[in-house]
């Protein structure tokens, strides 16, 4: 843990962002709009660090015909600031496609288009981010009175290690791929997050069989894509259900993603939280768009009629084991009904088995030891997305993701991103009132730090 030494005078930022995916891009936009807005504002000094060499959001999943499962109006800004120049509609206007999109009569853009929108928005606040910089540790700076008013953030890049000091950090490191227990990724065992990256290696070859494991949207998209991309290959879908379950995207069910629902969920007792997750998990988890389900069933039936069954569904089954060989991979699939085992020799096994949030306390190191947990060992998070800490730690450690247990389903999705970053910014500003004026440090982008007045 860092100890303040006499004469120490490093630049102190108001906020350091860890990661620069869509959530922290939205955070940077909110900060930029706040600092350049009209009226009396207290500019916020900030820097974001992203380990990728450039902006990227699930690039390995950008299948050319895959669409978003969220309305374009739930972009990075609109629900917070409908007049923002960072909106998806402004992006369309800049690309000369606004009228064409309107004529398209669709709320759900192509995923590749929305990724391009994210890149466009990230570039507009590009002076706030350092790419190719990985945060490797966060250390409390302990004052003579034992209080912690600053955090030292250690960042690794091609230039070595650097330490940056801040009053607050916001963690937006996204999710990590989840694979079944006992299964390891390899040359022929992929997680669906890397599908498009690795499938290029098969160009010019003649794969005969793919096995896709999973029952959610990504799994179904992978099945459809591989079946289309490799017209001679058999594609076997393995899942524990009888078939893909349709996503509930009805108007009433979608209210679980409303900003007001976050307040209600946060205030609910634990048993109500569990019930809400159970009731509305089918809006997001292990579900598939009904149009894609219909397309896959239609294709399966067509092949049965023609006697050319390349699309196989091994339902009510699970992947029991995977053995990778240099020229093939053996996938053992077990029926949940009979226990019968089927061994499939495949060119590739694709694990569309979801994601899990990164444990923020692992990244925080010594600072993590000052964070509080609930009775079930989960990080305690306040309504403003700030981790609850011991009383001596005065810094704000904010989470963008990993807060489903406190804030509900929308925490891991794009639906509430614009509202969430606005709430985090409000929290920063409210808490800054307590800061003393002699803590303020200048920064090139905004010229001054938070003014506590």
């Amino acid at each position: 843990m860092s100890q303040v030494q006499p004469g120490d005078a490093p630049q102190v930022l108001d906020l350091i962002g860890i990661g620069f995916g869509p959530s922290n891009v939205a955070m940077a936009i909110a900060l930029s709009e706040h600092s350049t807005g009209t009226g009396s504002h207290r500019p916020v000094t900030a820097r974001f660090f992203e380990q990728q060499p450039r902006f990227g959001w699930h690039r390995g999943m950008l299948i050319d015909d895959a669409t978003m499962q969220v309305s374009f109006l739930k972009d990075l800004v609109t629900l917070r600031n409908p007049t923002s120049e960072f909106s998806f509609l402004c992006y369309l206007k800049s690309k000369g496609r606004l009228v064409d999109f309107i004529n398209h009569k669709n709320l759900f853009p192509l995923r590749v288009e929305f990724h391009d929108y994210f890149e466009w928005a990230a570039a507009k606040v590009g002076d706030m981010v350092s790419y190719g910089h990985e945060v490797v540790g966060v250390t409390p700076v302990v004052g003579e009175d034992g209080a912690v008013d600053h955090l030292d953030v250690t960042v690794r890049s091609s230039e070595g290690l650097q330490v940056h000091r801040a009053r607050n950090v916001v963690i937006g490191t996204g999710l990590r791929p989840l694979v079944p227990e006992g299964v390891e990724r390899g040359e022929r065992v992929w997680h669906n997050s890397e599908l498009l990256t690795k499938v290029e290696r098969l160009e010019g070859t003649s794969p005969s069989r793919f096995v896709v494991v999973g029952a959610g949207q990504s799994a179904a998209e992978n099945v459809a894509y591989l079946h289309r991309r490799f017209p001679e290959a058999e594609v076997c879908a393995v899942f524990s259900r009888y078939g893909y379950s349709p996503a509930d995207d009805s108007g009433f069910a979608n209210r679980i993603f409303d900003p007001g629902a976050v307040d209600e969920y946060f205030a609910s007792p634990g048993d109500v939280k569990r019930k809400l997750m159970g009731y509305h998990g089918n809006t997001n988890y292990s579900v598939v768009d009904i149009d894609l389900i219909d397309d896959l069933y239609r294709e399966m039936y067509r092949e049965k009629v023609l006697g050319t069954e390349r699309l196989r569904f091994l339902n009510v089954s699970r992947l029991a084991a995977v053995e990778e060989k240099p020229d093939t991979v053996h996938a053992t699939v077990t029926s949940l009904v009979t226990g019968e085992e089927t061994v499939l020799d495949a060119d590739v096994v694709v694990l569309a088995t979801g994601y899990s949030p990164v444990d923020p306390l692992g990244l925080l190191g010594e600072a993590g030891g000052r964070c509080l947990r609930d009775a079930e060992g989960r990080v305690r998070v306040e309504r403003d997305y700030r981790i609850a800490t011991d009383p001596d730690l005065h810094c704000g450690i904010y989470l963008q993701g990993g807060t489903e247990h406190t804030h509900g389903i929308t925490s891991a999705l794009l639906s509430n991103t614009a509202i969430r970053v606005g709430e985090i910014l409000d929290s920063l500003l409210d808490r800054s009132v307590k800061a003393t004026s002699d803590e303020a440090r200048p920064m090139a982008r905004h010229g001054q730090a938070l003014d506590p007045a």
Side-chain angles (χ1 to χ4, degrees), residues 137-148:
V138 179
T139 306
V141 181
V142 182
E144 293 180 358
D145 59 354
V148 177

Side-chain angles (χ1 to χ4, degrees), residues 171 358-369 371-373 377 379 387:
I171 301 174
V358 178
D359 181 7
L361 300 194
L363 178 66
L364 292 174
E366 294 179 44
C371 298
L372 306 182
R373 293 184 181 269
V379 177
I387 295 179

Side-chain angles (χ1 to χ4, degrees), residues 241-262:
R241 306 183 181 200
Y242 269 95
Y244 297 117
S245 298
D248 185 354
D249 62 351
S250 60
F252 287 114
N254 273 344
R255 293 174 70 179
I256 193 68
F257 303 116
D258 290 355
V262 178

Side-chain angles (χ1 to χ4, degrees), residues 56-75:
W57 178 66
H58 299 304
R59 286 185 178 275
M61 298 169 58
L62 298 178
I63 297 172
D64 55 8
D65 63 348
T67 59
M68 299 293 295
Q69 277 77 59
V70 63
S71 166
F72 73 88
L73 292 172
K74 294 184 176 182
D75 57 19

